[in-house]
């Protein structure tokens, strides 16, 4: 044991990661590596809850995701990286927890209700979709995680996990700690069209995009919609390009762009070009790491295999205690 508190989090492998994923979770994970005992997993079983009809791309998405993670700065020497389905104990604990979880707890889950509406084009009337919070609870407590890094909108997910852990401990004895939600700052990153950055909207800048691709995408970004002509004063507060300047450009540039935009001393084309340069500079270390790992596929496979073995040993120890507590 390291003496550090343990955290766990995961992502569904549904495609390449973008800047929204980086700022929404991944950058925080990278910062937590030296402070916590970190377990990060690729949640391929969770991908089936809504995409069970199209499973063929998942294997490729898993490979893509681990390279995205490594490129962003996750270090297998400082955290455990693994694939959910490679640790079968998750499924065993999921089954056992499903026996004690009241259905109303799942039906009142706000994400369940929201996604039923948002994904109305898919048939989500499955046990797997209703019961995914139970699998999520198993993912977390099988590693006896002390905390789960989340944005404020995901706190209800952690609360369901705490309730399930509490119920198990009440019925069978104190096996599981109740994980806390670790609120992490998540800057809001909008897509090229000022909507939420998303693969489905085709408005994302991906971590795997090269310099020319990034520059081309930035050139298409929507700016202040009220600034029709070059001589019109702009409002940086409503300009998506300026929000990227605030994240990626130096303080002097941000202050200058703010003033010049308001006084119509800089055009949107020039503003975008400056921001693209800063964004590409920030992304270059990720590209360098990506080039390394894409050229070393055996190393990537070894990192995943080692991480899965490490996670499996912890999960097996927990399940031995679970069976003992339950008398089965």
């Amino acid at each position: 044991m390291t003496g550090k508190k343990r955290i766990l989090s995961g992502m569904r492998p549904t495609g390449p990661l973008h800047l929204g994923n980086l700022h929404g979770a991944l950058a925080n994970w990278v910062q937590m590596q030296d402070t916590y005992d970190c377990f990060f997993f690729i949640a391929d079983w969770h991908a089936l809850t809504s995409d069970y009809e199209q499973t063929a791309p998942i294997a490729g998405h898993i490979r893509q995701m681990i390279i995205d993670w490594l490129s962003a700065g996750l270090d297998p020497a400082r955290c455990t990286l693994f694939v959910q389905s490679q640790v079968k104990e998750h499924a065993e604990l999921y089954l056992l927890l499903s026996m004690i979880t009241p259905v109303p707890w799942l039906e009142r889950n706000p994400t369940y209700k929201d996604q039923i509406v948002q994904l109305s084009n898919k048939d989500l009337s499955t046990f797997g979709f209703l019961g995914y919070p139970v699998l999520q609870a198993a993912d977390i407590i099988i590693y006896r995680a002390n905390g789960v890094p989340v944005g404020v909108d995901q706190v209800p997910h952690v609360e369901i996990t705490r309730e399930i852990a509490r119920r198990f401990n009440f019925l069978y004895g104190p096996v599981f700690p109740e994980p806390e939600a670790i609120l992490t700052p998540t800057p809001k990153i909008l897509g090229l069209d000022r909507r939420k950055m998303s693969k489905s909207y085709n408005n994302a800048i991906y971590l795997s995009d090269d310099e020319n691709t990034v520059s081309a995408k930035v050139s298409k970004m929507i700016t202040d919609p009220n600034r029709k002509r070059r001589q019109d004063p702009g409002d940086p507060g409503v300009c998506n390009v300026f929000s990227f300047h605030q994240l990626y450009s130096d303080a002097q540039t941000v202050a200058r762009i703010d003033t010049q935009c308001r006084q119509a001393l800089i055009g949107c084309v020039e503003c975008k070009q400056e921001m693209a340069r800063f964004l590409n500079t920030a992304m270059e270390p990720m590209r360098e790491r990506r080039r390394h790992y894409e050229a070393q596929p055996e190393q990537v496979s070894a990192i995943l295999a080692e991480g899965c073995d490490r996670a499996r040993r912890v999960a097996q120890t927990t399940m031995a205690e679970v069976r003992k507590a339950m008398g089965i």
Side-chain angles (χ1 to χ4, degrees):
M1 293 295 291
T2 63
K4 299 176 181 177
K5 288 188 175 182
R6 179 172 292 168
I7 62 170
L8 178 132
S9 194
M11 292 184 185
R12 300 194 314 158
T14 57
L17 298 184
H18 50 66
L19 293 181
N21 302 125
L22 178 68
H23 290 282
L26 198 47
N28 288 319
W29 292 5
V30 171
Q31 293 177 357
M32 290 175 159
Q33 290 180 107
D34 292 323
T35 309
Y36 295 93
D37 179 20
C38 296
F39 281 65
F40 300 127
F41 72 101
I42 299 174
D44 53 340
W45 280 339
H46 279 292
L48 299 176
T49 57
S50 58
D51 296 321
Y52 56 83
E53 293 184 7
Q54 298 182 353
T55 59
I58 292 178
H61 290 337
I62 289 173
R63 190 78 180 183
Q64 189 172 47
M65 178 166 281
I66 188 64
I67 291 178
D68 278 338
W69 285 5
L70 295 168
S71 300
L74 289 182
D75 180 356
R78 294 186 289 156
C79 61
T80 300
L81 307 175
F82 66 101
V83 179
Q84 180 187 33
S85 65
Q86 297 304 305
V87 184
K88 306 304 182 186
E89 288 75 14
H90 285 237
E92 182 181 1
L93 184 56
Y94 170 44
L95 173 66
L96 296 176
L97 295 179
S98 72
M99 302 300 179
I100 68 169
T101 302
V103 171
W105 289 9
L106 305 177
E107 291 176 331
R108 75 174 189 236
N109 175 18
T111 304
Y112 173 75
K113 296 176 182 178
D114 290 345
Q115 290 203 325
I116 287 291
V117 175
Q118 293 174 11
L119 302 177
S120 57
N121 60 320
K122 296 184 178 182
D123 178 12
L124 299 180
S125 57
T126 62
F127 169 75
F129 187 75
L130 175 65
Y132 85 84
V134 184
L135 177 57
Q136 193 171 59
D139 297 331
I140 296 168
I141 66 178
I142 201 167
Y143 298 101
R144 291 188 169 93
N146 304 106
V148 185
V150 293
V152 65
D153 59 326
Q154 297 172 308
V155 171
H157 297 186
V158 182
E159 187 53 40
I160 293 176
T161 296
R162 288 170 56 83
E163 290 179 337
I164 293 173
R166 195 178 305 131
R167 183 169 172 83
F168 184 98
N169 292 342
F170 173 78
L171 292 171
Y172 306 115
V175 174
F176 299 115
E178 294 180 26
E180 301 283 348
I182 302 175
L183 289 175
T184 54
T186 53
K188 189 174 183 180
I189 303 293
L190 298 180
L192 306 177
D193 55 3
R194 299 180 73 211
R195 292 186 292 175
K196 176 183 177 182
M197 188 172 287
S198 170
K199 291 182 283 287
S200 60
Y201 291 156
N202 194 30
N203 67 353
I205 296 174
Y206 294 104
L207 306 189
S208 52
D209 283 344
D210 61 26
E211 184 173 349
N212 290 336
T213 301
V214 168
S215 296
K217 286 184 175 181
V218 168
S219 71
K220 299 175 183 177
M221 289 179 73
I222 294 176
T223 55
D224 179 353
N226 293 318
R227 193 177 186 194
K228 309 289 186 188
R229 296 165 299 180
R230 169 68 171 76
Q231 61 267 34
D232 293 335
D235 180 1
V238 299
C239 178
N240 195 25
V241 175
F242 185 73
S243 69
F244 274 73
H245 271 295
Q246 291 175 307
L247 282 170
Y248 290 104
S249 302
D250 58 53
Q252 183 178 358
T253 300
V254 171
R256 174 175 55 79
I257 294 289
D258 184 280
T259 299
Q260 290 180 330
C261 178
R262 294 180 191 278
Q263 298 177 5
L265 297 175
I266 188 174
C268 294
V269 171
E270 183 183 349
C271 179
K272 290 176 181 180
Q273 290 171 343
E274 283 204 56
M275 189 275 283
R277 286 195 292 271
F278 279 101
L279 175 54
N280 273 315
T281 297
M283 293 181 70
E284 186 53 37
M286 287 192 290
R287 294 188 183 119
E288 184 176 349
R289 288 189 289 265
R290 177 177 298 279
R291 288 190 288 269
H292 167 80
Y293 287 112
E294 287 181 340
Q296 303 290 333
E298 299 85 0
Q299 184 182 8
V300 174
S301 297
I303 287 169
L304 268 183
E306 182 180 348
C308 290
D309 285 343
R310 197 183 311 163
R312 195 176 297 115
R313 288 193 295 270
V314 175
Q316 288 172 345
T317 299
T318 300
M319 287 311 302
E321 295 191 28
V322 166
R323 297 185 206 104
K324 181 179 179 181
M326 297 181 71
I328 59 174

